[in-house]
Amino acid sequence: MKKIAIIGAGPGGLSAGMVLVTKGYEVHVFEKDDRVGGRNQRMDVSGYQFDLGPTFLMYLEILEDVFKEAGENLRDHLELIQLDELYKLRFNDVTFNMNKNKEKNYLMYEEYQKGLGDAYVKWYQAQEKKLKLAAPILKKPFPNYTHFFRKDVLRMAPYVHPLQSVYKNLSKFSKNEAFIHSLSFQAKYLGMASYKAPSLFTILPFLEHDLGLYHVKGGLNQISEQMAKIIQAKGGHLHLNTPVEEILVKDQKAYGLRISNETHLFDEVIINADFAYAMDNLVSQDNLKKYKKEKLAKKKYSVSTFMLYLGLDTILDINHHEIIFSKDYESYLKGLMNDELIDDFSLYVHNPSKTDPSYAKDGHSSLYVLMPVPNVASTIDFENRKDELTQKAIKLLNQTYGIKIEDHIVAKKVITPNDWQKNHNVYLGAVFNLAHNLGQMLNRRPQNKFEEIDHVYLVGGGTHPGSGLPTIYQSALILKNYL
Ligand SMILES: Cc1cc2nc3c(=O)[nH]c(=O)nc-3n(C[C@H](O)[C@H](O)[C@H](O)COP(=O)(O)OP(=O)(O)OC[C@H]3O[C@@H](n4cnc5c(N)ncnc54)[C@H](O)[C@@H]3O)c2cc1C
């Protein structure tokens, strides 16, 4: 039986573990932390529960496929709650309550400005076609440029407009800024600004509008926790508190891992740890060409996040997901792309206690506040500006919601881009990994069968097909083609 090592128990590593243990391999998952999940782990702050990272779950069928591949039914393991209101988007002059019902969205846009409802319908129809053509492509390996000549890729080409940005594509349907931003802010899921992200990614909001958004009872971290249980129940081995020190390679072939200064032999090695971190730290530079330190440093990376996790002695009457947009959102996005952070920032607010009482005790809540900020390649001193940024975020929450939130904070944790880098092994603290510009997508993104060293495979957000939970789960499904 082949012995397989997986470095990292994040969503990518755990999905791969589930699939491979079911195929009959001897699977060992090595995780440096004391719990599974990686950026998707459960975090406890003085009794208040939080999802460390992901809170938006969409395109459920890929996660269902991972469970099916392991002979399991997703809903036997997780309680899924579909959100009626997708999210509340707070702009300067208008607030959109985006709904899973597209007629309601039509009326909402039409009420705001005549003709916008029709623009929404046209946008919707165009995305339907695009997703139908794009989905099969993202589900397959894309190892080299010859794949651009595959029938499915050529069929999609006229709909993709490769040189157009998400923002530009949206502006074909309406020039209204709030309309454009309400259907393009999702580029941030890739850690990019809408005017930089390739127009293919207009399918992201469509996935939410068409297939819905889900919450998992107990938090999205439960997906990782249940995956780990399944791996163990099927005979896989989970080694927590076990950082891998090196991938051992001879003649460009991996043969094992160095852990606590000891050699452990394996037939195959799967890297789930952040791709750029792994190249920088786990592989000898002698074994690399394309991904040597100096070449990695030249690649483009996503933005980072400044996080506030607040335990409150009250439950705010706000939506499960809310976004407070900057007054001048475009300048904020441009600032982010130029490694600057302006005072007129945006916040994403996650208020899961509205839907799910399991996050905090009766009458209390867990509030998660995310500020997109440049990664640590910028000159911003996040450590010294921690208190200032916290105060500014709290001020914006108070102004927006008409409360004095500091009177209700009973527990607090802050995570800066430097913390992502230092504590979670994320290269430059760029939490959405390698950026998704055309030069770093498809055949130009690190492939799931690693090109540089035999017997090494890659899963997770830094690899093909991309960052974000559905594509991360898909990276594990693509492995089936090789193992
Ligand atoms: C704040 C935030 C919000 C996000 N929101 C969303 C969202 O709403 N929806 C969405 O789809 N995506 C979201 N994402 C993006 C993405 O889904 C998550 O980051 C996801 O957890 C990435 O999964 P992964 O498997 O690629 O890596 P990770 O989750 O980082 O897993 C890698 C694992 O490797 C481990 N590791 C690292 N080095 C070693 C080592 N040397 N030895 C052993 N183990 C090691 C790490 O501890 C970690 O457990 C968000 C990310 C962040 C940070």
Side-chain angles (χ1 to χ4, degrees), residues 6-13 30-33 35-41 52-58 189 220 242-245 272-274 277 282 305 307 309 348 368 370 420 423-426 431-433 459-462 467-470 472:
I6 301 179
I7 307 172
F30 296 97
E31 169 54 53
K32 72 170 182 61
D33 288 347
R35 64 192 63 193
V36 299
R39 280 166 266 183
N40 174 226
Q41 67 186 238
L52 176 66
T55 56
F56 280 71
L57 179 61
M58 66 177 98
Y189 301 170
L220 266 55
T242 310
V244 171
E245 288 148 8
N272 172 225
D274 179 68
Y277 152 82
L282 302 183
T305 59
M307 309 290 300
Y309 305 89
Y348 158 60
Y368 155 136
L370 178 160
W420 288 121
N423 302 333
H424 298 279
N425 288 358
V426 177
V431 289
F432 307 102
N433 310 93
V459 288
S467 178
L469 290 174
I472 290 169

Side-chain angles (χ1 to χ4, degrees), residues 102 105-111 113-123 179:
K102 76 171 183 286
N105 294 337
Y106 170 84
L107 292 173
M108 175 194 75
Y109 278 125
E110 213 43 38
E111 193 182 317
Q113 196 181 96
K114 196 139 186 44
L116 271 194
D118 294 329
Y120 173 68
V121 173
K122 283 198 186 114
W123 169 83
F179 174 85

Side-chain angles (χ1 to χ4, degrees), residues 128-143:
E128 218 160 14
K129 180 100 190 167
K130 202 191 259 184
L131 177 67
K132 209 165 155 205
L133 293 167
I137 293 168
L138 296 175
K139 288 185 180 184
K140 289 183 199 151
F142 210 104

Side-chain angles (χ1 to χ4, degrees), residues 163-179:
L163 298 177
Q164 204 175 64
S165 68
V166 164
Y167 184 95
K168 190 90 201 277
N169 188 269
L170 254 304
S171 62
K172 286 194 329 198
F173 299 93
S174 165
K175 300 279 180 248
N176 181 285
E177 287 287 311
F179 174 85

